[in-house]
Amino acid sequence: MFAIPAADLARAQELHRLLHHHAHQYYVLDAPEIPDAEYDRLFSELQALEATYPELATPDSPTQRVGGRVLDGFTPVRHAVPMLSIRTETDTEASGAQNFDARVRRELGLTEADPPVGYVAELKFDGLATNLRYEQGVLVQAATRGDGELGEDVTQNIRTIGQIPLKLPADAPPVLEVRGEVYMRRDDFEAMNERQREKGEKTFVNPRNAAAGAVRQLDPAIAAQRPLSFFAYGLGEITPAEQGGPDFQTHYELLQTLKSWGFPVAVQVQRAFGATELIAYHQAIGSQRDQFPFDIDGVVYKVDSLALQRQLGFVTREPRWAVAHKYPAQEQLTTVQGIDVQVGRTGKLTPVARLAPVFVGGVTVTNATLHNLFELRRKKVRVGDMVIVRRAGDVIPEIVGLARLGATGIEPAAAGDEPQVRDEVVSRHPYVPNFRMPRQCPVCGSAVVREKGEVNHRCTGGLFCAAQRKEAILHFAQRRAMDIEGLGDKLVDQLVDAQVIHTLPDLYRLGLTALASLDRMAEKSAQNVLDALQASKQTTLPRFLFGLGLRHVGEATAKDLARHFGRLDAIMDATEEQLLEVNDVGPVVAKSIRTFFEQPHNREVVEQLRACGIAWPEGEPAPRAQLPLAGKTFVLTGTLPVLSREEAKELLEAAGAKVAGSVSKKTDYVVAGAEAGSKLEKAQALGVAVLDEDGLRRLLAGTAE
């Protein structure tokens, strides 16, 4: 036996340390600090060293265990059948499938003359492996993988997942352990993170960690608020066939039976014969990967015959009859070269990192979102930093967090580290100050504001800002505002992209020739749009106010403003104190209105719209408190004989009433028409006065006297 060179021994020890650390971050803390691809690289390096020097493959080596340990606070669960991981084929090309098929055929003693081996090809989900135990058809326990032998009891949290059956049909065996993946859909993940950002709370790194964090949440009530899903893909312990259990012959048959018992099984599961069909599956799924509503990082090949699986058996920590064939990583390392600001369609300012180009998730990424100033500061990102970038599906690439490159591999950035004092390997750039949001919009120069309690900065130049042009026009043209029929998304896109219109008044300067020359716009259609624009010039003050798109000013507030002040000029010139006198207008809304009309370009757009012929009847101020039905709450239900519900609502609001959507003890009147339903029943149960249309008209006539 040859002595292990000191350098190789030291490197193996360092790899032990790094891999144990990152496995702890990933499996236990659900807070990975390096991309999966980097972890796989370090793992493969250690495997290569151990292949050269078998003495290095000690029982505590990361290669000899699955990873993870039981968290404090969860009851340990010993798995009846170990939950072992499967071999990973990191070669993302066709040879990955060819290598696996060649190994299987060699282990089975097959020659070229023998027929191809039958496989089942499945998706490799990016979630949390879970074992569900059923006894007499009832879910009695759910456990995480843990270290493969010992997991964590997460039964109460798993019960909150609607896809997981709590009771099985009568033909299920007395004892059944179903294994699968708890995951989070991308759209659910993005919506949840957006809610976290709006509240200024911590966001999750990726769907996998969000799902893992939910499953391992000590409070089931909190876990129930996280949108989790589940796919089944295998079995643990099961009543044997000789004792009345099912006698499965193939893995494919097993999966179809699980589906019949009510478990979700991915529709992409497919039988394949030989390496050629495995390659075709890998390529087909790879081309569809971004279209799936959930994350995958590869596919899994399993020998279909359960008898052949038993014949092939296991080697150390993984079965010989299965392999995971990966795709290009969706997380990679790169460097921040600069931080810019983008202005969205609604005026939100988003800091965006300019990156050294990096290939991630199948594309070259040069920009990544940092969401908002508070998220950027939480992640401590500065120009020159090495960061982890994630891209999954159609989700905009984002920076997951910082990474530090030490002399021996990727290491986490310590909690209190500042860029200028980090490892010399990444601190060759000079000190860079913290990023600050601009005070003026980088697109139009309007003031940038952040309202109290909000995390997002916004441009105040809604009617003027080029970045918000399309959104402003669509809002202005909608049915509840100026009601310009025919002016939809596609037409607005063409008009703005062709620079035919720049501001709202340009709509009313459109000519037939300019419109008819656009793609898929015939002369008749163009004339219809021009007619709709002409008709929209006669409107009401509330509709016009709502159409301007003032932040926090919806239809109801627009009506209150118009009623209270009577004239647009009075609203434009009102102080915050005067605005606060309007019903339901608080400090945030008052400041938003004042800020909007303080912008000279917004006032200019309003004056130009008036000059184009837009007009409305203006009246005398009528503060709600002075109106006859002020303080009264009405609910409308059913179909009235003559009045539409919208007409009835406008009449009531004009008299100072509030129209609510549901009946409560605070409701004063319910106006009921034909086919009134539960609202009428609730009103009668609470003793709320009920009116028909005639009764409503008499009430309104009486208040008008």
Side-chain angles (χ1 to χ4, degrees):
M1 181 180 297
F2 297 98
I4 302 173
D8 288 338
L9 179 61
R11 181 57 177 162
Q13 292 171 341
E14 181 60 16
L15 288 169
H16 274 220
R17 183 186 71 79
L18 285 169
L19 289 167
H20 278 310
H21 169 81
H22 291 303
H24 178 79
Q25 293 295 125
Y26 187 90
Y27 290 104
V28 178
L29 301 183
D30 301 319
E33 295 170 332
I34 60 173
D36 288 352
E38 184 62 24
Y39 183 93
D40 291 341
R41 186 189 68 76
L42 296 175
F43 193 95
S44 296
E45 184 182 351
L46 181 58
Q47 282 183 315
L49 280 171
E50 291 179 351
T52 304
Y53 309 108
E55 307 96 293
L56 293 177
T58 56
D60 65 340
S61 170
T63 65
Q64 307 301 305
R65 61 193 292 271
V66 176
R69 67 176 180 81
V70 177
L71 284 172
D72 293 336
F74 288 104
T75 304
V77 173
R78 184 164 296 281
H79 298 299
V81 176
M83 292 185 71
L84 301 179
S85 60
I86 59 176
R87 178 189 179 97
T88 297
E89 181 59 68
T90 56
D91 184 340
T92 60
E93 301 303 322
S95 56
Q98 293 167 336
N99 294 341
F100 172 62
D101 181 59
R103 283 197 302 271
V104 169
R105 295 182 68 83
R106 185 169 58 251
E107 293 287 344
L108 293 175
L110 301 178
T111 67
E112 292 184 6
D114 291 311
V117 176
Y119 298 102
V120 171
E122 310 172 11
L123 304 182
K124 185 178 183 298
F125 305 106
D126 199 7
L128 185 71
T130 305
N131 185 77
L132 310 176
R133 183 176 179 86
Y134 293 82
E135 295 179 359
Q136 305 304 322
V138 177
L139 178 65
V140 296
Q141 188 181 74
T144 62
R145 171 185 283 165
D147 64 3
E149 299 285 345
L150 203 64
E152 306 151 353
D153 189 329
V154 290
T155 308
Q156 296 307 311
N157 292 345
I158 292 298
R159 285 180 183 275
T160 68
I161 303 174
Q163 289 180 307
I164 294 177
L166 300 180
K167 188 174 178 60
L168 302 182
D171 61 336
V175 174
L176 173 69
E177 288 187 350
V178 176
R179 288 178 175 172
E181 201 90 354
V182 174
Y183 68 98
M184 190 175 289
R185 290 172 54 98
R186 290 191 196 125
D187 53 356
D188 289 333
F189 170 74
E190 287 300 313
M192 183 179 68
N193 258 359
E194 189 57 35
R195 290 194 297 271
Q196 294 291 102
R197 289 186 199 104
E198 288 174 357
K199 293 186 290 186
E201 297 179 2
K202 174 188 174 183
T203 55
F204 295 90
V205 171
N206 53 46
R208 187 266 169 199
N209 294 97
V215 169
R216 301 158 105 167
Q217 169 60 243
L218 289 173
D219 183 355
I222 296 177
Q225 298 170 12
R226 307 277 170 83
L228 298 176
S229 301
F230 178 79
F231 275 129
Y233 54 63
L235 296 178
E237 184 179 15
I238 185 172
T239 302
E242 55 270 21
Q243 296 180 20
D247 187 15
F248 297 123
Q249 299 301 307
T250 65
H251 181 67
Y252 188 81
E253 177 192 359
L254 180 160
L255 291 177
Q256 300 312 305
T257 303
L258 287 179
K259 191 184 297 185
S260 73
W261 287 339
F263 294 96
V265 175
V267 297
Q268 293 82 8
V269 168
Q270 183 177 309
R271 274 179 160 153
F273 294 90
T276 301
E277 293 190 10
L278 291 181
I279 292 169
Y281 181 84
H282 185 263
Q283 292 173 342
I285 295 298
S287 67
Q288 304 166 28
R289 180 186 183 190
D290 287 352
Q291 301 168 26
F292 295 149
F294 46 79
D295 281 356
I296 63 170
D297 56 5
V299 294
V300 175
Y301 311 136
K302 297 175 183 176
V303 173
D304 193 20
S305 167
L306 298 185
L308 290 183
Q309 285 188 14
R310 289 189 289 270
Q311 181 180 335
L312 288 163
F314 295 80
V315 53
T316 314
R317 64 193 287 271
E318 55 203 23
R320 289 190 177 94
W321 44 265
V323 73
H325 191 180
K326 286 209 167 186
Y327 289 118
Q330 291 180 297
E331 291 183 358
Q332 287 288 5
L333 298 171
T334 189
T335 304
V336 177
Q337 296 181 331
I339 299 177
D340 299 327
V341 173
Q342 290 183 352
V343 184
R345 286 169 61 105
T346 62
K348 175 187 172 184
L349 272 65
T350 301
V352 175
R354 283 189 287 106
L355 307 172
V358 60
F359 192 75
V360 52
V363 299
T364 299
V365 172
T366 56
N367 295 295
T369 180
L370 288 159
H371 297 292
N372 57 60
L373 180 64
F374 297 93
E375 185 83 350
L376 183 154
R377 288 182 176 172
R378 184 180 69 79
K379 292 176 178 176
K380 300 181 180 178
V381 176
R382 298 187 189 185
V383 176
D385 284 342
M386 179 173 285
V387 294
I388 302 168
V389 177
R390 174 178 172 78
R391 178 188 179 274
D394 294 327
V395 177
I396 299 170
E398 69 171 330
I399 289 178
V400 172
L402 300 177
R404 183 173 67 188
L405 184 61
T408 54
I410 301 296
E411 297 176 351
D417 276 357
E418 293 296 329
Q420 69 272 24
V421 297
R422 292 189 186 163
D423 240 61
E424 290 186 3
V425 176
V426 292
S427 296
R428 292 172 183 159
H429 60 84
Y431 172 76
V432 177
N434 279 324
F435 169 83
R436 294 181 183 277
M437 277 291 195
R439 298 192 177 191
Q440 281 78 41
C441 173
V443 175
C444 70
S446 299
V448 169
V449 299
R450 181 179 67 83
E451 294 173 358
K452 185 176 181 180
E454 287 209 357
V455 296
N456 294 319
H457 290 71
R458 296 183 181 276
C459 165
T460 57
L463 300 182
F464 176 77
C465 184
Q468 303 174 64
R469 192 170 294 156
K470 292 180 181 179
E471 190 72 16
I473 294 169
L474 287 169
H475 179 81
F476 184 78
Q478 67 168 288
R479 183 181 61 82
R480 295 178 298 157
M482 300 301 286
D483 194 16
I484 306 173
E485 190 173 349
L487 197 62
D489 294 52
K490 292 181 179 178
L491 179 54
V492 169
D493 283 345
Q494 287 192 73
L495 289 168
V496 172
D497 293 344
Q499 298 190 17
V500 175
I501 54 177
H502 298 85
T503 64
L504 293 178
D506 290 340
L507 288 170
Y508 294 93
R509 301 177 184 128
L510 283 172
L512 183 62
T513 303
L515 267 178
S517 65
L518 297 174
D519 289 343
R520 307 182 73 175
M521 178 62 71
E523 187 171 318
K524 183 177 179 180
S525 299
Q527 187 59 56
N528 289 339
V529 173
L530 292 178
D531 291 344
L533 282 163
Q534 184 63 30
S536 73
K537 290 182 180 180
Q538 297 304 311
T539 186
T540 65
L541 180 53
R543 280 179 172 271
F544 182 77
L545 270 176
F546 177 60
L548 292 179
L550 285 75
R551 185 158 166 76
H552 301 304
V553 176
E555 291 177 89
T557 302
K559 290 175 181 176
D560 283 335
L561 287 166
R563 185 183 303 114
H564 184 92
F565 290 100
R567 298 165 42 250
L568 178 61
D569 288 338
I571 298 171
M572 293 172 65
D573 296 334
T575 64
E576 286 188 40
E577 290 72 19
Q578 290 171 324
L579 289 166
L580 287 171
E581 295 174 4
V582 179
N583 182 64
D584 288 338
V585 171
V588 172
V589 180
K591 185 173 181 59
S592 175
I593 297 169
R594 187 68 253 132
T595 301
F596 181 90
F597 287 119
E598 281 176 348
Q599 302 295 315
H601 48 70
N602 285 340
R603 285 178 162 291
E604 177 63 21
V605 169
V606 170
E607 293 310 316
Q608 287 188 30
L609 286 170
R610 282 170 149 174
C612 288
I614 295 179
W616 53 83
E618 293 194 325
E620 294 301 317
R624 182 185 286 265
Q626 300 174 13
L627 295 172
L629 293 182
K632 301 295 183 182
T633 299
F634 287 70
V635 172
L636 302 171
T637 182
T639 304
L640 300 177
V642 179
L643 291 173
S644 69
R645 190 173 297 189
E646 187 63 28
E647 289 170 335
K649 181 180 179 182
E650 288 181 359
L651 289 171
L652 285 165
E653 289 179 337
K658 176 182 178 182
V659 179
S662 59
V663 179
S664 70
K665 292 180 179 179
K666 295 182 180 180
T667 305
D668 295 293
Y669 294 95
V670 167
V671 180
E675 300 182 5
S678 58
K679 292 179 183 178
L680 176 58
E681 294 174 1
K682 187 170 183 180
Q684 292 169 335
L686 292 174
V688 174
V690 178
L691 302 174
D692 58 13
E693 183 174 323
D694 288 340
L696 172 63
R697 288 181 182 276
R698 286 194 297 272
L699 179 65
L700 289 169
T703 60
E705 294 174 356

